[in-house]
Amino acid sequence: MPDTPFAPVILGNEPGSFPHGVLAERHPAIIGQVRDAFPYGPGQHRALDELLKSCTEGTVGPLPADAPDRDRWQEWGLADCAGRSWYDVPWLWSESYFYRRLLDAVGWFGPGTWQGIDPFRPSKRAELDAPETDAELAALDALPGLPEEERARALLHGSLWGNRADLGFRLSAEGAKTRDPAPALVADDSAALWSLLPPGAEATLVLVADNAGRELVPDLLLIAHLLAEGRAARAVLHVKPYPYYVSDATTADVVDALHRLRTAPGAAGGYARVLWSAMADGRLNVRAHPFSCAPLPYERMPDDLRAEFAAAMLTVFKGDLNYRRLVGDRMWPATTPFQEATAYFPGPVAALRTLKSDVITGLSAATEAALVAAEDRRWRTAGTHALIQVDVK
């Protein structure tokens, strides 16, 4: 994004800051979790040790000479970042490159027997198979008797809150607004969102997914409802082309989620049939564009992706990381209009996000003041607040 002095790009070099904690504490912990998840051999253990030392004490290193995406990463800034501390390059870039190097360490790109083995799969499957998922899917049985608008709102909030989907099925936008001392839903453009998805729409919805497991399931449920009720004629679900940020969804995770829905009793199985049929006849497509793993804001998206978003009646970005990439990973003044930060986007765009990082736009001054008074800065990163923001263009 262009230089914006009043909204600097976020780095991880400030001790005590949220980004610094991710680099100094979360990434080493993730390396330990991955090490324990599979019976990796000595080669993988050495590579993980080297990555750990690089992250904590060293500098950004190059990709292997035979890396299949080496040229792409050069275009994405590796030439500028190599040799610098992980803490002194843009935080979004540093995080993204960490996961790319982690896949190298465990042999994802091969060749070898560990090629294509998702190092995060055990945790993804454990969440999807958890008893809490059964309870959330059972809650769907209450929806068929509701008017369509109420079902749509419930599923929207289920998608918004992700693995708090049980709350989402009960939470109304009105209730979220009036919660004291600070609102759970800090911005709510849901009326504008529904205006872009009217019944009888003959256009395409694009949803850029975030996490797998219990957060992907409600995204799929929302898509199923929109297709079944004619609020979208077609849908495109964008996922990551390879494992990323521990829990980000890949095509394999979509398949796992669909199988989980298919085997569930009651209304959940009905939604699964809608989705299965839609994939079979082309009304629902899954895409894994390389730029989905780029360490860059969407303002720098390639032309083919720009054209796809421009042709959609609405593009919905799910989750915190996608929000950071949509508006730019900057310390925006919280009252910066969302529409200003997304002015570059080629078509109508919406964000459904629980707040798990410092980036925020589109708040009223009163809402920001209430949040700061109640929680200081914790409201930005704790995942206890959420937003629905729309730029209708």
Side-chain angles (χ1 to χ4, degrees):
M1 299 187 76
D3 185 39
T4 307
F6 71 93
V9 171
I10 295 175
L11 306 179
N13 57 7
E14 181 183 345
S17 69
F18 184 74
H20 188 277
V22 169
L23 297 176
E25 300 170 15
R26 184 183 298 177
H27 285 182
I30 289 169
I31 291 174
Q33 291 167 5
V34 167
R35 182 193 302 274
D36 295 338
F38 287 98
Y40 290 125
Q44 280 101 342
H45 284 284
R46 283 193 298 271
L48 289 170
D49 288 340
E50 291 170 4
L51 178 60
L52 178 61
K53 185 173 183 180
S54 170
C55 290
T56 55
E57 305 173 18
T59 59
V60 173
L63 287 175
D66 60 350
D69 53 353
R70 192 169 185 269
D71 290 344
R72 184 178 297 140
W73 274 93
Q74 290 294 112
E75 295 174 5
W76 288 348
L78 180 55
D80 295 329
C81 295
R84 299 167 63 187
S85 167
W86 292 80
Y87 295 87
D88 292 336
V89 301
W91 182 44
L92 175 63
W93 198 98
S94 185
E95 276 197 291
S96 300
Y97 193 59
F98 166 78
Y99 287 100
R100 174 59 184 81
R101 292 308 307 268
L102 184 63
L103 292 184
D104 260 339
V106 298
W108 164 271
F109 290 99
T113 55
W114 292 99
Q115 184 175 12
I117 301 299
D118 184 348
F120 310 121
R121 181 172 173 80
S123 59
K124 291 177 180 178
R125 286 297 320 186
E127 182 180 284
L128 195 60
D129 295 336
E132 292 85 354
T133 305
D134 292 324
E136 289 165 6
L137 295 180
L140 295 170
D141 292 342
L143 294 184
L146 299 176
E148 190 276 333
E149 288 187 1
E150 290 186 32
R151 282 183 281 133
R153 185 175 65 184
L155 291 169
L156 176 67
H157 279 268
S159 178
L160 171 66
W161 289 102
N163 62 11
R164 294 174 60 189
D166 56 330
L167 171 63
F169 294 137
R170 300 193 307 267
L171 185 65
S172 71
E174 292 78 13
K177 284 181 180 177
T178 58
R179 182 180 131 179
D180 291 328
L185 194 59
V186 300
D188 182 13
D189 295 340
S190 54
L193 185 148
W194 293 124
S195 74
L196 295 167
L197 298 169
E202 290 295 326
T204 299
L205 166 77
V206 175
L207 192 148
V208 182
D210 184 34
N211 291 332
R214 287 170 56 208
E215 296 192 39
L216 180 60
V217 167
D219 295 343
L220 292 171
L221 295 172
L222 178 62
I223 290 173
H225 178 86
L226 297 176
L227 291 173
E229 297 296 331
R231 288 183 177 264
R234 295 166 298 280
V236 180
L237 178 67
H238 278 256
V239 296
K240 300 299 190 294
Y242 51 74
Y244 195 61
Y245 277 71
V246 180
S247 56
D248 280 28
T250 65
T251 302
D253 299 316
V254 174
V255 174
D256 284 345
L258 283 172
H259 278 295
R260 184 70 172 85
L261 283 171
R262 285 187 91 191
T263 59
Y271 284 108
R273 288 188 289 275
V274 170
L275 292 163
W276 203 274
S277 174
M279 291 188 73
D281 63 25
R283 287 177 296 126
L284 172 58
N285 288 304
V286 178
R287 286 259 280 147
H289 195 285
F291 194 76
S292 294
C293 288
L296 304 172
Y298 269 94
E299 188 173 39
R300 294 178 59 180
M301 74 182 93
D303 290 342
D304 64 326
L305 200 54
R306 185 177 297 275
E308 180 178 337
F309 291 153
M313 64 176 174
L314 176 65
T315 299
V316 177
F317 283 83
K318 271 297 310 294
D320 194 80
L321 173 61
N322 285 329
Y323 187 86
R324 291 165 58 192
R325 296 186 65 200
L326 176 63
V327 305
D329 202 35
R330 296 178 174 273
M331 284 303 299
W332 296 103
T335 55
T336 304
F338 175 73
Q339 293 79 8
E340 180 180 312
T342 57
Y344 72 90
F345 202 81
V349 62
L352 303 181
R353 174 217 183 188
T354 54
L355 279 56
K356 298 177 183 177
S357 66
D358 288 310
V359 178
I360 188 71
T361 67
L363 299 193
S364 69
T367 296
E368 181 188 13
L371 290 164
V372 172
E375 304 176 33
D376 194 24
R377 292 187 63 84
R378 291 190 302 276
W379 63 272
R380 290 176 176 260
T381 60
T384 54
H385 298 277
L387 57 78
I388 301 171
Q389 292 177 325
V390 179
D391 180 358
V392 299
K393 303 297 180 184

